């Protein structure tokens, strides 16, 4: 699921650059540049970003604006379709077949692992009416070990 910060960045960059009634080459390029930066700042893999930008750009350059939509709405439609292609078209249910069920959260320091874990716990409790014991183990790798 895309975080609110990233979703807002994508929306703002599209709205800022797509003010005309047509999808111009310059507006598409500027929007793609800003979307690329937003995705990279959100720690999305560089190869995924390249493929995503290439695909969105190709679709945007070949699209005609549908009746009833303006250029920013059309760009949102294209970006949404590509995000659905990346994340998958069908949702997968959580499986609690094994005891205990283990979920590993991985991310950079400050990227929202603890918050996301709390949200998942609340979601599981509401949807499945299951009270699970959640353990949060935090292991931060010092930068000296990485480099």
């Amino acid at each position: 699921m895309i975080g609110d910060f990233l979703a807002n960045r994508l929306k703002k960059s599209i709205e800022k650059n797509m003010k005309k009634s047509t999808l111009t080459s310059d507006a598409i390029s500027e929007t793609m540049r800003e979307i690329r930066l937003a995705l990279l700042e959100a720690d999305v893999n560089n190869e995924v970003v390249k493929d995503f930008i290439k695909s969105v750009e190709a679709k945007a350059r070949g699209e005609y604006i549908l009746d009833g939509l303006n250029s920013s709405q059309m760009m949102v439609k294209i970006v949404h379709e590509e995000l659905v292609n990346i994340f998958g078209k069908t949702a997968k249910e959580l499986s609690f077949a094994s005891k205990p069920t283990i979920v590993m959260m991985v991310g950079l320091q400050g990227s929202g692992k603890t918050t996301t874990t709390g949200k998942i716990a609340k979601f599981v409790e509401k949807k499945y009416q299951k009270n699970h014991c959640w353990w949060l183990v935090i292991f931060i790798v010092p930068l000296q070990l990485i480099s």
Side-chain angles (χ1 to χ4, degrees):
M1 181 164 65
I2 293 181
D4 291 334
F5 176 75
L6 181 56
N8 288 335
R9 287 276 311 265
L10 294 176
K11 182 181 173 195
K12 284 180 185 176
S13 62
I14 290 171
E15 287 175 350
K16 178 178 124 183
N17 295 307
M18 297 289 162
K19 294 185 180 188
K20 297 185 170 86
S21 60
T22 59
L23 292 171
T24 65
S25 183
D26 290 341
I28 291 170
S29 296
E30 181 61 24
T31 302
M32 292 298 97
R33 188 185 73 74
E34 290 186 20
I35 289 174
R36 179 182 294 111
L37 288 174
L39 292 170
L40 290 173
E41 286 176 8
D43 296 323
V44 177
N45 181 287
N46 193 35
E47 291 302 314
V48 173
V49 172
K50 281 183 192 177
D51 292 343
F52 177 77
I53 294 298
K54 189 185 303 181
S55 180
V56 170
E57 206 164 9
K59 279 188 176 181
R61 292 188 193 285
E63 285 282 331
Y64 293 103
I65 297 178
L66 299 174
D67 289 337
L69 296 179
N70 61 34
S71 60
S72 66
Q73 291 168 331
M74 192 66 190
M75 195 64 168
V76 167
K77 178 186 176 296
I78 294 167
V79 169
H80 178 266
E81 287 172 354
E82 282 307 305
L83 287 172
V84 168
N85 286 338
I86 288 173
F87 289 121
K89 295 179 180 168
T90 59
K92 294 186 180 180
E93 291 293 319
L94 292 173
S95 172
F96 298 103
S98 64
K99 304 279 187 209
T101 301
I102 298 172
V103 178
M104 182 167 83
M105 302 295 289
V106 179
L108 296 175
Q109 184 175 353
S111 64
K113 295 175 297 297
T114 305
T115 303
T116 302
T117 301
K119 288 180 180 181
I120 292 172
K122 194 69 174 167
F123 170 78
V124 168
E125 183 180 1
K126 275 185 180 177
K127 181 162 180 163
Y128 300 101
Q129 284 83 38
K130 292 185 182 229
N131 290 321
H132 288 293
C133 180
W134 289 80
W135 288 79
L136 180 61
V137 178
I138 299 173
F139 177 72
I140 299 172
V141 179
L143 287 177
Q144 295 85 2
L145 293 178
I146 297 172
S147 51

